[in-house]
Amino acid sequence: MLSWPAAAQTYQTYGAHNPSEVSPCQVENCVYKRKKGDPADPLWPIYWQSDWTMYRVYGPDAGKYPPPYQGKPPAGATYQTSYGKTYYDSTWVGKSGEGAMEERYDEYCLPIFPLDNHYSCKFISLGNVAYFIAGEGRPAWMPKICLFSGLNHPPRRDFISHLPYSKEDSARIGAGGQGYSFWVSAQNGYVMQVGASADLTDKGGILFGYGFQANSAGQVMPQSFYFSGYPLAPANAPYVSQNYTNFSVTQPSQDIWGEVAGIDPTTLPACQLFNPPEAAPQGLTTSAAPAKRAPTWGDIGRWRP
């Protein structure tokens, strides 16, 4: 285990990115038992890489259009489109642990933080250590490389066991679809609801979901990663879905992880993505009065309205 600042950045991911005891799981080991008639849990391939299209669904009617989406969000939804790519290799082994993963966001970063996300970014996880790399257009206060977490590994191949199965989500994916999701309470971390619908944003809920779909060969492959973004301005992202395209079961080049290879993570500054240091430049507030805030993934189990 790394020393501070890594120890100060442990996020509750219900067994997906770190041990289940880190999260307030309500089932043993954060593993959900499947009911009779539920499909078998899919496994990620041992390695893969894929492009994806990210849809940020926003506006006063966003709650009417819950993910997952077969492709573009439904007619009537207001959304923004951006792009990126994911690289995954469960066979990677290093002194920081097992597994390597990079999520690259082109032009628009992951909109789960209370700041304007109009900049490129990358998350690279090597074993238990997760790095954040900010690219072109990043805020002036943001370092190019910072330590996101010292206990945040890539999801294991069977990570879907940590999410409950949802028939309603599966139906929205379409034929051969399998959707898994829950809303958790930012205040105590407990599961509020299985399935993405209905919208629980106003009740302090945070959504995490993942979809799979059978291809023409009958293989069940990742279809989308869907979740709550930061629902208020400036991110303005009540719903977000990363829909996979050009999914390939091929091993990424080891050069992918080269940007952080050899870096001592304990020498890096801690990322301040969930709690940005400069309020006014990010549009949070320009007065003495506190801006209205909403919970983030970084607030789970600690949120106080």
Side-chain angles (χ1 to χ4, degrees):
M1 187 72 64
L2 295 174
S3 60
W4 189 94
Q9 300 174 88
T10 300
Y11 304 114
Q12 296 174 349
T13 63
Y14 299 81
H17 288 279
N18 44 37
S20 59
E21 55 265 26
V22 174
S23 300
C25 303
Q26 294 161 277
V27 294
E28 187 176 0
N29 296 321
C30 289
V31 173
Y32 285 85
K33 294 181 179 179
R34 305 307 180 198
K35 299 177 182 177
K36 184 178 181 180
D38 289 348
D41 282 0
L43 283 175
W44 268 357
I46 59 173
Y47 42 67
W48 55 270
Q49 46 193 320
S50 181
D51 300 312
W52 40 258
T53 301
M54 184 165 74
Y55 300 106
R56 175 178 67 90
V57 178
Y58 62 98
D61 295 329
K64 296 180 181 179
Y65 306 101
Y69 310 120
Q70 290 187 27
K72 296 179 180 179
T78 301
Y79 63 91
Q80 177 197 54
T81 303
S82 59
Y83 303 93
K85 186 162 186 171
T86 297
Y87 304 88
Y88 176 81
D89 189 348
S90 68
T91 69
W92 185 94
V93 179
K95 62 182 181 180
S96 57
E98 299 179 359
M101 187 173 188
E102 176 183 305
E103 287 190 299
R104 188 193 77 209
Y105 293 80
D106 300 334
E107 191 175 356
Y108 285 89
C109 192
L110 182 66
I112 66 172
F113 310 113
L115 50 84
D116 187 342
N117 70 317
H118 195 182
Y119 61 97
S120 61
C121 72
K122 298 176 184 178
F123 292 84
I124 299 179
S125 295
L126 296 179
N128 287 322
V129 181
Y131 305 85
F132 179 78
I133 302 175
E136 185 176 351
R138 71 183 185 272
W141 59 265
M142 187 180 288
K144 180 174 176 57
I145 301 180
C146 60
L147 182 64
F148 185 68
S149 178
L151 188 59
N152 196 281
H153 58 66
R156 306 308 187 200
R157 296 180 61 207
D158 64 350
F159 80 97
I160 206 64
S161 65
H162 300 299
L163 284 171
Y165 174 71
S166 168
K167 288 184 178 180
E168 292 76 14
D169 287 13
S170 302
R172 283 197 293 279
I173 293 173
Q178 295 177 214
Y180 302 80
S181 72
F182 54 30
W183 286 85
V184 298
S185 166
Q187 187 165 11
N188 58 26
Y190 293 162
V191 174
M192 303 168 72
Q193 173 181 286
V194 173
S197 183
D199 180 15
L200 297 182
T201 303
D202 289 344
K203 296 182 180 180
I206 295 176
L207 170 68
F208 183 91
Y210 208 92
F212 292 82
Q213 190 168 28
N215 61 21
S216 58
Q219 300 169 309
V220 180
M221 293 293 180
Q223 183 267 347
S224 64
F225 168 37
Y226 52 99
F227 50 92
S228 298
Y230 188 73
L232 305 179
N236 195 13
Y239 286 140
V240 185
S241 182
Q242 294 173 205
N243 285 47
Y244 296 105
T245 59
N246 305 317
F247 191 93
S248 174
V249 184
T250 52
Q251 188 170 23
S253 166
Q254 295 305 297
D255 294 340
I256 294 295
W257 335 116
E259 287 181 88
V260 296
I263 293 178
D264 179 355
T266 63
T267 67
L268 291 175
C271 295
Q272 301 180 69
L273 301 171
F274 287 114
N275 297 287
E278 296 181 5
Q282 297 153 12
L284 298 181
T285 179
T286 55
S287 68
K292 180 181 179 182
R293 294 296 298 267
T296 69
W297 274 101
D299 292 316
I300 293 175
R302 298 186 294 269
W303 176 250
R304 295 295 179 268

